[in-house]
């Protein structure tokens, strides 16, 4: 997998997407704050930039990225956005014009359940040096704090909002192990379906019910969680070590076959040509 460690515009990170069914109250907002604090403890970093969905200016001539420096700590920004409203959109990051962000969080919290029950999502990006075992423990913790309907963790394409280039997204055509908010996670249509297999996933009872028994070839492991959910992963041992890329692709193919009853085909994003998107959609077939 291409590392892209010294590129200013984009790079590869680990990432987590959480789809939540919670009805947000003051207590639940406090739980989200605790989850963000735990995330920063796991990564050993902090947020230095913010972009608010309601109070900050949209990207423009004076602020092309839409991101502004955090003054007074990220908790102050968090409370300003959600206290008393319990709904909103907020992005916290450490991006700047010379470096791709190494820690990033996008929150879209909503009590509107018109389209899907899991109407809220939290998206994280963080350094690839964070062990997968820590990611597993983080997901177990989040499931104790919030109502996860679906969660997915793997490698992500990070794009620097100070100098975003669509070419970074188009690179994904030839990077089957890497996902992106702009392709896989931007919009989820159905509670009863998921977008794609990934290295670690949390499935609700609703998502588990159409699946056949777990394959016995040892490539897929399951861990029971609170609320009748399962943490599914394709990594090795207690530490959840990554096998080689070829073996990972084989396991993702197996997982894709097992997940077939709950997979849906997402629509082509704007940065892909139709033939490139077709290649992308067939990456685990």
């Amino acid at each position: 997998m291409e590392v892209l460690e010294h590129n200013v515009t984009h790079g590869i990170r680990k990432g987590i997407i959480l789809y939540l069914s919670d009805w947000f109250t003051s207590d639940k907002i406090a739980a989200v704050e605790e989850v963000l604090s735990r995330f920063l403890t796991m990564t050993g970093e902090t947020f230095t930039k913010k972009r608010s969905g309601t109070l900050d200016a949209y990207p423009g001539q004076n602020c092309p990225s839409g991101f502004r420096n955090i003054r007074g700590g990220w908790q102050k920004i968090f409370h300003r956005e959600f206290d008393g409203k319990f709904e909103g959109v907020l992005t916290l990051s450490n991006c700047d014009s010379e470096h791709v962000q190494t820690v990033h969080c996008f929150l879209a919290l909503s009590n509107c359940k018109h389209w899907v029950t899991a109407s809220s999502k939290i998206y994280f990006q963080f350094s690839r040096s964070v062990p997968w075992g820590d990611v597993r423990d983080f997901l177990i913790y989040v499931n104790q704090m919030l109502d996860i309907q679906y969660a997915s963790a793997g490698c992500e394409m990070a794009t620097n909002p100070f100098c975003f280039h669509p070419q970074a997204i188009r690179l994904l055509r030839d990077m089957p192990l890497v996902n992106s908010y702009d392709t896989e996670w931007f919009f989820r249509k159905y509670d009863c379906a998921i977008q794609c297999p990934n290295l670690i996933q949390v499935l609700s009872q609703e998502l588990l019910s159409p699946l056949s028994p777990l394959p016995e070839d040892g490539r897929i492991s399951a861990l029971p969680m609170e609320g009748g959910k399962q943490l599914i992963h394709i990594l090795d041992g207690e530490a959840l070590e990554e096998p080689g890329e070829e073996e990972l692709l084989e396991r993702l193919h197996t997982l894709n076959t097992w997940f077939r009853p709950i997979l849906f085909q997402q629509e082509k994003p704007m940065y892909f040509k139709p033939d490139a998107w077709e290649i992308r959609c067939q990456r685990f077939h």
Side-chain angles (χ1 to χ4, degrees):
M1 190 185 340
E2 189 177 358
V3 179
L4 305 175
E5 291 294 343
H6 303 293
N7 196 305
V8 174
T9 63
H10 54 281
I12 299 174
R13 304 286 181 259
K14 288 180 177 176
I16 301 168
I17 183 76
L18 301 165
Y19 295 96
L20 306 172
S21 301
D22 300 86
W23 185 268
F24 287 97
T25 61
S26 57
D27 288 343
K28 284 293 184 179
I29 291 297
V32 173
E33 184 179 5
E34 288 296 321
V35 166
L36 265 62
S37 295
R38 180 70 170 255
F39 170 70
L40 293 177
T41 298
M42 178 181 74
T43 61
E45 302 197 55
T46 193
F47 300 121
T48 60
K49 298 287 193 303
K50 52 94 175 181
R51 183 167 65 191
S52 170
T54 56
L55 297 179
D56 289 335
Y58 287 102
Q61 184 176 1
N62 295 328
C63 188
S65 70
F67 279 88
R68 300 177 186 276
N69 291 329
I70 289 177
R71 296 180 175 85
W74 67 268
Q75 294 93 336
K76 178 180 178 181
I77 305 300
F78 180 86
H79 286 284
R80 189 184 73 179
E81 189 67 37
F82 295 109
D83 280 3
K85 300 183 295 239
F86 313 138
E87 298 182 272
V89 175
L90 177 65
T91 307
L92 300 166
S93 187
N94 67 351
C95 53
D96 61 47
S97 60
E98 298 180 357
H99 305 91
V100 183
Q101 61 272 13
T102 55
V103 65
H104 178 92
C105 176
F106 171 70
L107 300 111
L109 307 183
S110 174
N111 285 331
C112 177
K113 309 297 183 185
H114 180 67
W115 295 108
V116 289
T117 301
S119 58
S120 300
K121 60 185 171 183
I122 305 177
Y123 175 67
F124 294 107
Q125 287 179 0
F126 47 97
S127 170
R128 294 175 67 192
S129 64
V130 176
W132 286 119
D134 290 356
V135 176
R136 171 202 54 203
D137 295 345
F138 176 70
L139 287 170
I140 293 171
Y141 169 78
V142 175
N143 187 59
Q144 295 168 347
M145 303 291 288
L146 300 167
D147 187 6
I148 298 177
Q149 205 271 342
Y150 172 53
S152 189
C155 293
E156 298 287 309
M157 176 66 77
T159 54
N160 188 337
F162 282 82
C163 45
F164 172 70
H165 290 286
Q167 294 93 322
I169 305 303
R170 291 197 287 268
L171 282 175
L172 293 171
R173 190 198 73 166
D174 301 314
M175 303 178 73
L177 290 176
V178 182
N179 302 299
S180 166
Y181 185 81
D182 294 276
T183 54
E184 278 69 38
W185 316 125
F186 179 70
F187 182 66
R188 183 165 180 251
K189 292 183 177 180
Y190 312 108
D191 282 326
C192 59
I194 67 175
Q195 292 93 319
C196 65
N198 212 348
L199 305 191
I200 305 176
Q201 288 169 297
V202 175
L203 303 182
S204 67
Q205 288 180 307
E206 181 180 13
L207 289 169
L208 287 165
S209 60
L211 299 179
S212 60
L214 192 71
E216 297 181 356
D217 58 10
R219 292 184 170 189
I220 304 173
S221 300
L223 173 69
M225 302 176 72
E226 290 186 10
K229 302 165 189 177
Q230 294 270 351
L231 186 147
I232 308 295
H233 75 82
I234 55 170
L235 300 165
D236 289 336
E238 176 61 25
L240 304 193
E241 299 288 344
E242 286 187 36
E245 182 173 337
E246 185 175 341
E247 175 63 22
L248 265 182
L249 286 170
E250 285 293 325
R251 295 184 190 187
L252 285 164
H253 171 79
T254 301
L255 191 58
N256 189 77
T257 301
W258 187 52
F259 277 166
R260 195 161 292 161
I262 58 173
L263 290 174
F264 81 92
Q265 182 63 61
Q266 60 261 41
E267 297 177 2
K268 183 185 79 66
M270 63 182 295
Y271 300 117
F272 272 88
K273 293 181 179 179
D275 58 340
W277 182 240
E278 181 64 24
I279 293 172
R280 175 73 173 169
C281 291
Q282 296 299 314
R283 59 185 170 144
F284 302 132
H285 288 237

